[in-house]
Amino acid sequence: MAAYIVRRLLLMVPTLFGIILLNFLIVQIAPGGPVEQIIAKLQGMNVSATQNFSGAGSVTGVGTQSLQKQMDMSSGASAYRGAQGLDPAFIASLRKQFGFDKPPGERFVLMLKNYTTFNFGNSYFQNKKVTALILEKLPVSISLGLWSTLLIYLVSIPLGIKKAVKDGSKFDVWTSGAIVAGYAIPGFLFAIFLIVLFAGGQYLQIFPLRGIVSDNWASLDWPHRILDYFWHITLPVISLSISGFAGLTILTKNSFLEEINKQYVLTARAKGLTENRILYKHVFRNAMLIVISGFPMALMSVFLTGSVLIETIFSLDGIGLLGYTSAVDRDYPVMFGTLYIFTLIGFLIKLISDLTMTLVDPRIDFEAQEAR
């Protein structure tokens, strides 16, 4: 097993390189980079607005003097007109600030060199290091991802087992209808429904609407801090979990049904073993393998793709919202930094999943499978 772990860790290096390279090439041909976006914002703005734009630090490292010099070159009009064009020297300074004065190959090599030490640089538009932004927003997304995945598994696995045992019964039929209905409801729509019903929309006001903790959270004692934290994440976690119940429940049911109908179960029954002993000692280990193998995908889907709208609706400043806004703003350091971190997390979770499968069923030998 140690040799398998080492090979998997070594395989992560070329795989990660390929993912970063592919996304880097896509970015090179994508229109509307950060320089173009800043130029578009500057065109048509009046002098006062442009001064505010620079003074607010929206353009990292682009000084007020360079911007003021460009405004002074306008033809005496009170408003800066995009048709007059921007000073080529000013555009060149923008390109240099964002690192686009270097050829793509040199920029890619420099990026890889920095990424080996987890140096992702600074955000183009937020005047913060990318690592600081990720660490600042990561706890929100980790909270949503872990609790949602845990809730999905705690509900779906027992429910799937009971549906398999009672296959074809009334319980199986009405629970199937319920989980399919839940799967058909988008998470963001269910979140709005919960807000209207429980967060002061029109009816009850039980849960808060914004943030992951209260404003006075730091002044609370630890028991009240924990209660306040769960009070805030209840609705977002339920909203994220609602669509995940169906797939995992049906997967668990089908896995158990397949194992229950195998010969070794019939043999165990013939020997007089109780149904619970057969189900949880023999069937459970075999049936849960496919469920465990799907854990990384379930966690990463909730952690990455499922949380963007939920974070927006509940005003949660998490990593999903950060990745979305960085893609819209073409904030490349944040884009590639989050991609790098998420890819590493995905690789590690997949490795942990394989190791967990060997613990559930020691008969699985990944080294022997690779040797075939």
Side-chain angles (χ1 to χ4, degrees), residues 194-262:
L194 292 179
I195 290 174
V196 172
L197 193 59
F198 297 110
Q202 288 184 356
Y203 299 96
L204 305 175
Q205 191 168 2
I206 301 175
F207 297 98
L209 181 60
R210 304 172 63 87
I212 196 168
V213 292
S214 300
D215 294 335
N216 64 335
W217 185 82
S219 63
L220 301 175
D221 55 17
W222 276 109
H224 287 89
R225 286 185 183 185
I226 296 173
L227 291 175
D228 182 80
Y229 165 74
F230 282 106
W231 182 46
H232 279 77
I233 69 169
T234 297
L235 295 187
V237 167
I238 294 176
S239 302
L240 271 177
S241 305
I242 189 65
S243 62
F245 291 129
L248 185 59
T249 301
I250 294 175
L251 178 64
T252 304
K253 175 189 174 182
N254 292 338
S255 298
F256 272 80
L257 279 178
E258 182 180 356
E259 294 296 324
I260 288 174
N261 294 324
K262 288 185 177 180

Side-chain angles (χ1 to χ4, degrees), residues 98-229:
F98 290 120
F100 293 109
D101 57 326
K102 300 181 180 66
E106 183 179 346
R107 285 188 280 120
F108 182 71
V109 172
L110 180 61
M111 183 178 70
L112 290 181
K113 181 180 178 181
N114 292 332
Y115 279 18
T116 56
T117 58
F118 291 89
N119 178 17
F120 305 118
N122 296 326
S123 170
Y124 286 161
F125 304 105
Q126 301 191 49
N127 283 332
K128 289 184 179 180
K129 288 185 174 295
V130 174
T131 50
L133 283 172
I134 293 176
L135 292 176
E136 176 185 329
K137 302 177 186 301
L138 198 57
V140 174
S141 296
I142 289 178
S143 295
L144 294 179
L146 287 179
W147 288 116
S148 298
T149 306
L150 182 62
L151 179 62
I152 290 172
Y153 270 71
L154 287 178
V155 173
S156 296
I157 291 178
L159 181 60
I161 294 174
K162 189 169 184 179
K163 285 174 64 63
V165 174
K166 296 182 177 296
D167 183 40
S169 65
K170 291 183 178 180
F171 173 83
D172 181 37
V173 173
W174 73 259
T175 53
S176 296
I179 62 175
V180 170
Y183 181 76
I185 301 175
F188 72 91
L189 187 61
F190 191 73
I192 296 174
F193 169 76
L194 292 179
I195 290 174
V196 172
L197 193 59
F198 297 110
Q202 288 184 356
Y203 299 96
L204 305 175
Q205 191 168 2
I206 301 175
F207 297 98
L209 181 60
R210 304 172 63 87
I212 196 168
V213 292
S214 300
D215 294 335
N216 64 335
W217 185 82
S219 63
L220 301 175
D221 55 17
W222 276 109
H224 287 89
R225 286 185 183 185
I226 296 173
L227 291 175
D228 182 80
Y229 165 74

Side-chain angles (χ1 to χ4, degrees), residues 255-283:
S255 298
F256 272 80
L257 279 178
E258 182 180 356
E259 294 296 324
I260 288 174
N261 294 324
K262 288 185 177 180
Q263 182 63 40
Y264 74 89
V265 176
L266 299 178
T267 303
R269 286 172 177 167
K271 292 181 178 180
L273 296 180
T274 63
E275 286 296 322
N276 285 337
R277 183 176 177 83
I278 295 173
L279 185 64
Y280 292 104
K281 185 174 181 179
H282 300 283
V283 175

